[in-house]
Amino acid sequence: MKYILVLVCILPVLQLSAQDLDSLKSLILTPEQMQEDLEAYHRLLVETHPGLHRYLSTSDFEQTFKEIKNQVDEPLPFYTFYQLLAGWSAEIRCAHTQLLPRREALSFVKESCNLFPFFLYPIDDKLYVLFNGTTDTTVTPGTELLSINNRTVAEIQADMQTFHFRDGNGKSVIRRFLQGGYFSMFYYFFIEQPSQFSVQFRKNNDEVLELQLPGQVYKTTERNYIGNPINSKMLSYYNRKQKNWDFEISEKASSTAEIRFGSFGGKGMESEAKAQQAMQKFMSKAIKKMKKKQ
């Protein structure tokens, strides 16, 4: 496929840095190019996806295919076509079926995109600033985001759900991608690619704050996370070291044990065998402690 790569594994946590060199923003695709990619994507899904119709019936899948086919009979901007396919892909409800604009998606985002410069965190259908990635000091951690470029947070979240991959009807994956570098990247992919952001915030005292901000490369945003003094207290919480595998008896319920896994690998586990041995050792100790505490 010339312009679209599909079906990649779940992305690792993103460390993004970029310059505004995105040639896709000005790319206009011909009907022939889009038809070719659309047919190839359809064939790839039908021939290789093991759970294609678990949540999407064959008739609905083919109907969407026909609808997209009817919409690509004239030249379209790249991101318009991309979003048509991303919406179709999201209907499959498979978190391992992802549609990304380029083969090297991470390096593309790192090197070519001006992004929204705040680290957000979702709570109760609202989005709050966790870190300010600009040099502005008026937007403090805990400030609520109200809108971006006249789109409310509710509208943005609804759009994310339309385009974003997930398993079944669960929302946990959507919540994960509403925060941090993921939010900035998928806002850029699924919503718009602006050079400027008109942003409304609500501060803790209910004051509404309006700012005009340029999009910026992530290396600048990341540098400002550390350099902007209003982030210092939040960084002290966020950067606390935690054990990769942790076991403790709950303080709230003495008959309950809590086991936390940061990942299934870790330092010194260069092979599957070493990881298995370490996991067995950890779990044996945990079960011994649980038996002792009954």
Side-chain angles (χ1 to χ4, degrees):
M1 300 176 72
K2 295 180 179 178
Y3 299 101
I4 301 287
L5 175 74
V6 299
L7 294 173
V8 298
C9 292
I10 279 289
L11 294 175
V13 174
L14 297 178
Q15 298 295 326
L16 311 180
S17 61
Q19 295 179 350
D20 191 11
L21 301 172
D22 183 6
S23 61
L24 298 180
K25 290 169 66 173
S26 59
L27 177 62
I28 303 297
L29 299 178
T30 66
E32 292 76 19
Q33 290 170 327
M34 292 183 287
Q35 291 283 354
E36 182 181 351
D37 276 5
L38 180 60
E39 293 286 351
Y41 188 33
H42 178 274
R43 185 173 64 253
L44 180 62
L45 289 172
V46 170
E47 293 179 359
T48 68
H49 200 294
L52 183 59
H53 301 301
R54 184 173 297 156
Y55 299 99
L56 183 65
S57 69
T58 301
S59 59
D60 287 343
F61 175 81
E62 295 298 336
Q63 179 61 33
T64 303
F65 172 62
K66 291 177 182 177
E67 290 172 359
I68 296 174
K69 202 168 186 178
N70 291 334
Q71 294 180 67
V72 297
D73 59 352
E74 59 183 32
L76 291 177
F78 173 86
Y79 280 105
T80 301
F81 176 60
Y82 168 70
Q83 289 161 11
L84 287 173
L85 294 191
W88 185 30
S89 183
E91 291 179 5
I92 298 169
R93 296 290 190 265
C94 174
H96 290 279
T97 303
Q98 304 177 23
L99 192 67
L100 299 170
R102 283 194 183 275
R103 181 178 299 277
E104 301 297 336
L106 289 181
S107 60
F108 166 62
V109 174
K110 289 177 181 179
E111 298 166 4
S112 305
C113 307
N114 276 337
L115 305 175
F116 184 69
F118 291 90
F119 189 115
L120 302 175
Y121 194 84
I123 300 176
D124 295 334
D125 296 323
K126 296 181 179 180
L127 294 177
Y128 294 90
V129 173
L130 202 60
F131 301 110
N132 183 336
T134 74
T135 57
D136 175 88
T137 57
T138 59
V139 182
T140 58
T143 298
E144 181 186 354
L145 174 68
L146 297 178
S147 67
I148 303 175
N149 292 348
N150 297 318
R151 284 183 172 89
T152 66
V153 163
E155 290 169 339
I156 292 169
Q157 293 195 61
D159 283 343
M160 289 286 192
Q161 293 204 35
T162 298
F163 294 112
H164 213 292
F165 45 84
R166 77 193 79 170
D167 278 327
N169 295 314
K171 295 184 178 181
S172 59
V173 171
I174 300 294
R175 285 180 54 79
R176 180 184 179 191
F177 290 104
L178 285 172
Q179 59 183 281
Y182 285 116
F183 175 87
S184 299
M185 182 179 78
F186 288 115
Y187 184 95
Y188 188 91
F189 285 173
F190 299 147
I191 312 296
E192 59 176 342
Q193 305 80 43
S195 56
Q196 289 283 128
F197 294 97
S198 176
V199 191
Q200 278 192 332
F201 297 98
R202 178 161 42 225
K203 302 195 74 175
N204 295 335
N205 61 1
D206 286 336
E207 174 191 356
V208 175
L209 179 65
E210 297 187 6
L211 292 177
Q212 300 292 324
L213 301 165
Q216 65 186 29
V217 297
Y218 197 81
K219 63 182 177 184
T220 301
T221 299
E222 197 170 41
R223 185 165 62 244
N224 289 335
Y225 287 160
I226 299 171
N228 193 328
I230 64 170
N231 295 323
S232 57
K233 188 172 183 180
M234 189 60 72
L235 283 170
S236 70
Y237 292 116
Y238 196 78
N239 288 333
R240 285 179 179 173
K241 289 185 177 180
Q242 294 182 324
K243 294 180 180 178
N244 188 35
W245 299 344
D246 195 23
F247 171 92
E248 63 180 16
I249 302 298
S250 173
E251 295 179 359
K252 297 179 181 179
S254 59
S255 61
T256 301
E258 298 178 357
I259 296 179
R260 176 189 171 276
F261 296 103
S263 70
F264 290 103
K267 187 176 180 180
M269 301 181 203
E270 299 91 355
S271 67
E272 183 178 350
K274 286 187 176 180
Q276 287 178 345
Q277 291 170 4
M279 175 67 74
Q280 289 169 354
K281 183 178 180 180
F282 169 79
M283 290 301 297
S284 294
K285 286 184 177 179
I287 291 171
K288 185 177 181 179
K289 290 178 182 178
M290 284 189 282
K291 287 181 177 179
K292 183 177 181 181
K293 294 287 185 178
Q294 296 185 342

